Amino acid sequence: MGVEWLLVCHGLVTAVVVVSFLCGRWPIFEGTFIQRIHYFLTYGAYDYFLRFVGAVFGHKCTDAILSVEYYCCDRPNPLLQIIYIVIIGVTYYFIAKSCFAYIPGYYLSGIHRYTSFLAVGVGILLFLLTSFSDPGTVNTENVSQYISAYPYDNIIYSEKECSTCKIPKPARSKHCSICARCVARFDHHCGWMNNCIGEKNTRYFMAFLLWHFLICLYGTVAIGLVLAGRLRELRVVDILTVYYGLENSFLDLAPNVVQWLLGSYNTQILLMVFLAIIGMLLAGFFGYHAKLCLTNTTTNETFKWQDYLEWQKKLKEAKVSAEALKQSIDGISSEKQPLLSKWRAFVRKSPLEDVVVVKNNVYDKGFFHNIQEVISPFSSRRSFTQNKLKSR
């Protein structure tokens, strides 16, 4: 029984650590222990480690660690790509080793041996497409076409020059300091892909997220059906009810069935839990980016809009406060007004509550147009090429 509980605790701790590391900054976890664990994992632990190394080994060792950090985090490198290949390869190996012996089974046919391999192969193909495709590099040859495709809104984007590339900076583009290039419709730099996500490869990135979520869902359900098949084939329920005299009810059978599964098929259960956790994280990540695509917004632009809206709100609040102060001064200097009761003065609505700032995204042109822009980027259309020829 101790081993089973150890596996359960291991799974729970793993789930908490993974969710805290990947989702700790989400608003839903603000002020919770998830946010504190995220801070410790992403900043606190590393900061304490650097202090310890500096105190014990000196500043030269600290500088060496910082140089490794610079290479891993601030320069293009295939480290996370290798980790991805290792994770998907090792996971598939353990699934094949622990589950393929029971396929075909009571609920699964033998074809799942081959469909699982095909699913992983398609996932790796999408990974390679996203990693090695051009995200939409802006250069002197296509900058005028991108400026035509993405006009300035004069809200969060205005006409300016990239200080690094020394070329005009189209709206929605950004210079990536890691890749050292300007990227059209820049979303973010993805370390897992060792590539930027931009105008040309957002479709591959979305397909990658969706497909890997489906792979995790497929793997979780398939392993669950393997375990359910073993229960039927070994007649576990019959043994528990007939030989051990348990009632044929869910409440009586469930603890004993779970105990038997943890003792006999702990590898399969750990794989199922791992795939379920990763699948939920991928579903959340895909849902977030799908919402951005449907509103024709990028991750980079969400931060720009957040800063702009906060600035506009503070500006309007300052104007409203100044107007309210002016009215108060005018009221004091004019004839004496009848006094409000203390209750009415208490419940009276503050003018600051009426301050509303509206987001005016000129690039959001409707559901179908937004989807089309992701699936068929401007640079892949004939009109983009024709504009290029005209500019020459």
Side-chain angles (χ1 to χ4, degrees):
M1 189 67 181
V3 176
E4 288 82 357
W5 280 110
L6 182 62
L7 291 173
V8 172
C9 294
H10 176 270
L12 291 175
V13 171
T14 302
V16 169
V17 170
V18 171
V19 171
S20 301
F21 179 73
L22 297 176
C23 311
R25 295 184 64 184
W26 289 11
I28 192 174
F29 296 121
E30 187 173 354
T32 64
F33 71 96
I34 296 291
Q35 186 186 46
R36 290 191 287 271
I37 294 175
H38 173 83
Y39 175 82
F40 178 76
L41 293 174
T42 57
Y43 178 78
Y46 182 64
D47 183 55
Y48 289 130
F49 173 72
L50 285 179
R51 293 181 184 180
F52 172 78
V53 170
V56 176
F57 301 102
H59 70 277
K60 289 186 177 180
C61 191
T62 305
D63 293 340
I65 294 174
L66 291 174
S67 65
V68 173
E69 176 197 354
Y70 175 76
Y71 171 76
C72 294
C73 301
D74 297 324
R75 301 308 309 157
N77 68 85
L79 181 61
L80 289 179
Q81 289 176 302
I82 294 171
I83 292 176
Y84 162 80
I85 295 295
V86 170
I87 289 174
I88 199 167
V90 170
T91 303
Y92 184 76
Y93 168 77
F94 278 110
I95 290 175
K97 186 178 180 181
S98 61
C99 298
F100 278 17
Y102 310 116
I103 299 175
Y106 193 89
Y107 293 108
L108 294 177
S109 64
I111 195 173
H112 290 280
R113 287 171 171 257
Y114 309 104
T115 54
S116 61
F117 181 79
L118 178 63
V120 172
V122 172
I124 293 176
L125 177 63
L126 290 172
F127 169 75
L128 295 175
L129 274 173
T130 311
S131 297
F132 297 103
S133 60
D134 178 16
T137 304
V138 180
N139 50 46
T140 54
E141 295 183 357
N142 59 20
V143 63
S144 59
Q145 287 74 50
Y146 275 122
I147 291 175
S148 299
Y150 297 108
Y152 300 107
D153 62 354
N154 293 317
I155 300 176
I156 59 174
Y157 293 110
S158 58
E159 188 174 354
K160 62 176 64 174
E161 183 183 83
C162 175
S163 59
T164 306
C165 298
K166 303 302 180 184
I167 58 174
K169 195 173 183 179
R172 314 195 75 184
S173 67
K174 185 178 185 296
H175 183 89
C176 178
S177 59
I178 298 176
C179 295
R181 60 184 171 183
C182 281
V183 177
R185 199 182 181 276
F186 179 88
D187 190 272
H188 69 286
H189 180 90
C190 181
W192 290 101
M193 305 296 173
N194 193 27
N195 196 10
C196 290
I197 306 302
E199 187 241 3
K200 286 186 176 182
N201 64 353
T202 297
R203 49 186 172 175
Y204 302 140
F205 179 71
M206 294 297 294
F208 170 86
L209 292 178
L210 177 60
W211 189 257
H212 279 70
F213 161 70
L214 294 176
I215 289 177
C216 291
L217 180 63
Y218 174 42
T220 304
V221 173
I223 296 174
L225 291 175
V226 166
L227 297 178
R230 296 303 294 163
L231 286 173
R232 292 297 297 267
E233 291 167 352
L234 299 177
R235 304 174 67 92
V236 174
V237 174
D238 293 338
I239 292 172
L240 290 174
T241 54
V242 175
Y243 290 97
Y244 290 93
L246 295 178
E247 291 290 333
N248 191 8
S249 65
F250 177 80
L251 292 178
D252 288 332
L253 290 174
N256 294 277
V257 169
V258 170
Q259 181 179 349
W260 178 78
L261 287 173
L262 287 172
S264 304
Y265 300 98
N266 49 67
T267 302
Q268 291 87 338
I269 290 178
L270 284 176
L271 287 169
M272 189 167 64
V273 171
F274 172 74
L275 290 175
I277 293 172
I278 299 300
M280 287 188 291
L281 294 175
L282 286 171
F285 202 43
F286 174 78
Y288 169 75
H289 280 278
K291 181 182 178 182
L292 292 181
C293 291
L294 294 177
T295 57
N296 210 336
T297 310
T298 64
T299 304
N300 178 54
E301 288 170 352
T302 57
F303 296 108
K304 286 180 172 289
W305 277 114
Q306 183 179 355
D307 293 340
Y308 173 78
L309 293 177
E310 288 180 357
W311 174 71
Q312 283 291 314
K313 186 176 181 180
K314 290 179 181 179
L315 184 63
K316 288 191 175 183
E317 287 178 350
K319 290 181 179 179
V320 170
S321 298
E323 184 65 27
L325 180 61
K326 181 181 178 183
Q327 291 177 1
S328 299
I329 295 174
D330 292 341
I332 293 173
S333 60
S334 62
E335 295 182 0
K336 187 175 181 181
Q337 300 292 328
L339 295 174
L340 292 173
S341 67
K342 292 183 178 180
W343 172 251
R344 291 185 63 186
F346 177 76
V347 299
R348 186 173 57 183
K349 190 176 181 181
S350 170
L352 294 179
E353 296 180 18
D354 295 326
V355 175
V356 178
V357 181
V358 180
K359 176 181 175 181
N360 182 23
N361 183 10
V362 300
Y363 306 111
D364 184 0
K365 298 181 180 179
F367 177 85
F368 293 105
H369 182 278
N370 296 341
I371 292 295
Q372 183 187 12
E373 188 173 319
V374 173
I375 298 175
S376 176
F378 286 125
S379 58
S380 65
R381 301 178 189 178
R382 183 179 300 177
S383 58
F384 190 88
T385 307
Q386 290 175 348
N387 288 335
K388 183 177 181 178
L389 293 174
K390 288 179 182 179
S391 64
R392 290 181 179 179

